[in-house]
Amino acid sequence: MAERALSTQRTLLIAIDTATRWAGVALYDGERVRAEASWRSHNNHSVELMPALTRMLDQQGVDAGRLAAVAVASGPGSFTGLRIGMSVAKGLAQAQGIPILGVPTLDILVVPHSEQRRPVWAVIQAGRGRLCAAYYRRRGGRWRQSGDLHLTTVEELALLVKGRCLVCGELSQVEQTLLATQSEADLVFASPALSVRRPACLAELGWERYENGEADDLATLEPTYLHTQ
């Protein structure tokens, strides 16, 4: 009973990630992850997201009125997935009168690799045999994207990667093998557990923005899509 009472007194941030088929939600209080759920969606974000959010809040005994902010994966990602996640996040922010904080999808992937000394290539699937990738370096104690996003293929990515680097994200074993054999770089691949986007990592990045007094404009925040028409 004491734990339930405590949960309603804390400042809480909810995180929503539906950028790709890998989806998730998390509840964070600035000190610890209160709850987290991730799953592989077969393009059913519209019917899966709200039940997952409701279940998580119910399990923690938290009413939506106790939320202080909402963080959302802002892309790149699939059109449908991003649209659903952004719509739900905006709805929560507007209904509760709280800040909304967009976080780039690929930034979420590199958070678990804080002890990694190699630069990191983060990758997600873009459909039709394509990938979306970005290159990250450690600067000022944190990962920062270096250069542009790349909408590419495994073969093209093999030409982009140079030197010693870690590759993490949504690459199949076949794609990893192709990349390793076709690239001249010194590659290390993150394990499957360290290649998924954790909504808890999204929550940490969103909380950092929240504590810095940042917020996105509810009316103008839009997803970053993988490609243009």
Side-chain angles (χ1 to χ4, degrees), residues 25 39 57 64 181 188 190 204 229:
V25 293
W39 65 95
L57 292 174
T181 55
V188 172
E204 284 189 354
Q229 300 296 327

Side-chain angles (χ1 to χ4, degrees), residues 16-18 45 49 72 80-90:
I16 298 171
D17 184 351
T18 55
H45 300 92
L49 179 57
V72 60
T80 301
L82 286 172
R83 179 175 54 83
I84 292 168
M86 188 68 71
S87 295
V88 170
K90 284 190 172 187

Side-chain angles (χ1 to χ4, degrees), residues 16-19 71-78 81-83 85-86 100-108 149 197 202 209 216 221-226:
I16 298 171
D17 184 351
T18 55
V72 60
S74 60
S78 71
L82 286 172
R83 179 175 54 83
M86 188 68 71
I100 187 170
L101 305 149
V103 176
T105 307
L106 292 169
D107 286 11
I108 305 167
L149 290 170
R197 294 190 317 279
L202 164 59
R209 293 194 61 199
D216 289 304
L221 178 63
E222 294 292 338
T224 300
Y225 297 111
L226 288 168

